[in-house]
Amino acid sequence: MKKYFLILFGFVLMFLVACNGEETSKSSSDEKVELTFTTWGNDQHSSMYEDLLKEFYKEHPNIKVKIQSIPHADYQQKLSVLAAGNELPDVGWVAERMVPQFVDNGILRDISDFRDDEEFNFKDYIPSTLKLWEHDGKLLGLPFSTPPMIMYVNRTMFEEAGLETPNELAKKGEWTWEQFQETAKALSKGEGSDRQYGARLFNEWTNFATMPSHTFSYGGKMFSDDMSEFKWNSPEGIATFEMLNRMMFEDNSHVPPGENITFESGKVGMFPFMYSYIANVRGITDFEWDIAPLPKGPEGRVPLLGQAGIVAFEGSEHPEEAKKLLKFLGSKTGIQAQSAFFVPPRKSVLESDEFVNVPNNPPRESIELALINEMDNGFTYPLHEDWTKIESEIINGFDKLYSQSASPEEILEQMEKDVNVILQE
């Protein structure tokens, strides 16, 4: 009898443990989880993600996502501060320039298992878009945007001036940097508050991303291939700074330094920036607009390839849920939704009518000329762990140009000295 009770007690104990385990597992899967997703996007981007996440919530009703927008200029420093305090978001955008520091700091989660998920269809990603995110055999992020820089064009201004548009010139092989300068001069007119300008080459006055395209198209460089020497102080680099100086202070065809006259105002004829800016442009009704490729030089057309990805950060309190969110955002469904603003890294989406035929998009021919045909021609931002310091010295040089406190030759000579100190540390 004693033996019978011991056996019965054992069965009861095993049953209770099993039930408790089942209950624990169930409560874990049903646990309400809030994830933080950081971007530097605008309100249109946030609205797009809110709509997209409705699909995610259907499959993961216990997970909610808080979208947090941080200004691009502050983004890298903000995340570095959060990392130091172990307060990183769960998932977030990362630009190419941020990758070296974040990889070196070990704050990007390994998501290599995504490669073997048949449902995820990792092979759909264009291989060149993944290089930035692969380190020592590990996959540390997924690209969501891979655009070459494009030119936004005020077609109404061109029609009123009786000028050929950049796309018309490009199709004839005549859209050059020299023609760009002549066109900008011809578009510029008026006085005071009625003044219109042919061009604005900067989104923010600290963002010089367009300028290397001019240098590269003439055969120049910014840095040596191994990032050990500053090479912008060259005849090609000086010509780039002289072009900007001439447009701003001699031709008066460029928006004056520091003035916030935007393309959307209708007072700027040509404005180069990334495809994501189309979110600001689609709502324009005061004038007709279009997109076009950047001008070319003797060495061809060399637009900046601005790549951004989404990563899962280390230290998350909900690492598995964070990976689920990242996998959803990188799925075909996620990339298709994001392609309303970003050039997609998945081949199936890039070639789809859904990408081209977004409401208020420019015509297919313009998208092919400015984007799809230029995917293989661009350059990527230099990768260096001290890029923030390097960038600061370059911005100091542009400030001297804006204030006319030094000549292009003097600016680049000093820039070379200051940047080389950082490169050789």
Side-chain angles (χ1 to χ4, degrees), residues 118-171:
E118 291 186 11
E119 186 177 342
F120 185 69
N121 192 14
F122 185 73
K123 292 180 180 179
D124 188 32
Y125 275 87
I126 300 168
S128 61
T129 69
L130 296 166
K131 292 179 180 178
L132 182 65
W133 310 100
E134 294 175 327
H135 296 265
D136 298 327
K138 297 178 181 178
L139 181 66
L140 300 180
L142 294 171
F144 69 90
S145 177
T146 57
M149 183 173 280
I150 61 177
M151 187 77 76
Y152 291 91
V153 178
N154 184 325
R155 284 183 56 90
T156 300
M157 195 180 288
F158 273 81
E159 290 170 5
E160 291 175 352
L163 297 173
E164 289 185 282
T165 66
N167 280 339
E168 290 170 335
L169 292 165
K171 283 185 281 187

Side-chain angles (χ1 to χ4, degrees), residues 23-36:
E23 183 178 341
T24 302
S25 175
K26 182 179 179 181
S27 65
S28 175
S29 64
D30 291 342
E31 179 189 0
K32 299 297 183 183
V33 170
E34 182 177 85
L35 301 176
T36 300

